Amino acid sequence: AYNNNCDMPSAQFVYRKCLELGVPTVTLSRWAAYGCPIRPQLLDELAKTKHSVATNIRTMSKYSIDQLWNKVVLPSNHPRREKLPSRCDVKWFYKTFCGTEDTPTELNESIWTQVEKLNMYDPLAVLICDLSYRALHFNCKAKTVRGVRHIVVGTSEIDTGIRDPLSLYKEYSRLFVEALQASLHEPEMPLGSEKEPDMLLEETTKIMSTRSRAA
């Protein structure tokens, strides 16, 4: 995982100590995140709540994607790629975020307008901590080490560990909206919002279908 790769000795220390002390772990892989993407337009809808967190997430998502893109286009041994794995090249980016393996001949500095899907690592990680959400939305693989059960969600591109991507997407879209509304003490979607908490479900169905054909 990229996060582990940023400080591998520390990551190895944490996992080793968890095994030594018998601490059960739950690991959400990138395959799970790839299995339930969102459309960038969802961030636009959330920003309509006028919540500062929602608007900041939309702004930083664009910035982060453009930053990643500007690393991806560099040669694999370029120092400005920092610790980005060599597998993360232009073809990988287009497949992961743009829903196609066709890459353009000219590479622009900003890629945001071509992005079709984003991967929600942290929201999925939060949901999987709740046993009821875990049982409802995730297929978990378990491995017992020294009598302690460890769980992994998403073992491959085919086995993402997501039971029903559209159902899960609808679930966390609703939770996003409800959380933002609750903190603003607003019971309903603000005026000007065109979609309910199951927003962009049709568009998401399209990218799920595209992903299935590509696989």
Side-chain angles (χ1 to χ4, degrees):
Y2 175 69
N3 287 346
N4 290 339
N5 193 51
C6 289
D7 191 344
M8 188 57 72
S10 296
Q12 291 173 336
F13 174 82
V14 170
Y15 283 113
R16 183 172 65 252
K17 283 300 181 181
C18 285
L19 293 176
E20 291 175 358
L21 299 173
V23 178
T25 61
V26 179
T27 301
L28 184 83
S29 78
R30 70 176 185 273
W31 301 118
Y34 292 174
C36 189
I38 69 164
R39 293 295 298 273
Q41 287 85 346
L42 173 58
L43 303 183
D44 295 332
E45 291 296 321
L46 294 179
K48 289 180 181 178
T49 62
K50 306 299 183 182
H51 198 293
S52 60
V53 171
T55 55
N56 187 59
I57 287 175
R58 180 179 60 175
T59 299
M60 293 308 300
S61 293
K62 179 184 183 300
Y63 174 78
S64 297
I65 282 290
D66 281 340
Q67 287 290 97
L68 175 60
W69 170 248
N70 287 322
K71 292 180 181 180
V72 161
V73 298
L74 297 172
S76 60
N77 61 347
H78 198 288
R80 282 178 52 202
R81 285 177 62 96
E82 299 175 329
K83 295 185 178 181
L84 190 66
S86 58
R87 62 178 172 80
C88 299
D89 56 13
V90 171
K91 184 176 181 180
W92 164 84
F93 187 98
Y94 264 79
K95 181 179 181 181
T96 303
F97 298 103
C98 303
T100 178
E101 294 188 42
D102 297 329
T103 57
T105 54
E106 294 186 9
L107 304 178
N108 296 324
E109 183 175 343
S110 177
I111 194 68
W112 181 252
T113 57
Q114 298 182 54
V115 171
E116 290 289 327
K117 52 187 179 179
L118 298 170
N119 302 312
M120 305 298 285
Y121 294 91
D122 291 340
L124 295 181
V126 171
L127 284 180
I128 208 170
C129 291
D130 184 282
L131 294 179
S132 60
Y133 284 128
R134 186 189 303 176
L136 182 62
H137 294 295
F138 301 95
N139 285 319
C140 303
K141 297 291 180 66
K143 186 176 181 61
T144 301
V145 179
R146 299 177 184 176
V148 178
R149 190 168 181 263
H150 299 273
I151 292 173
V152 176
V153 179
T155 57
S156 70
E157 184 174 9
I158 296 175
D159 184 7
T160 64
I162 305 298
R163 293 183 182 275
D164 183 341
L166 293 179
S167 175
L168 178 54
Y169 171 85
K170 188 172 182 178
E171 182 85 75
Y172 67 62
S173 296
R174 178 183 60 80
L175 291 171
F176 286 159
V177 173
E178 289 181 355
L180 294 171
Q181 289 172 344
S183 68
L184 292 173
H185 308 290
E186 293 184 2
E188 300 177 355
M189 287 292 288
L191 293 175
S193 181
E194 298 174 356
K195 300 180 175 68
E196 294 297 320
D198 61 349
M199 59 189 71
L200 302 169
L201 201 57
E202 181 179 349
E203 292 94 330
T204 302
T205 303
K206 292 178 182 177
I207 66 172
M208 294 295 181
S209 299
T210 302
R211 183 184 181 278
S212 298
R213 289 195 298 271

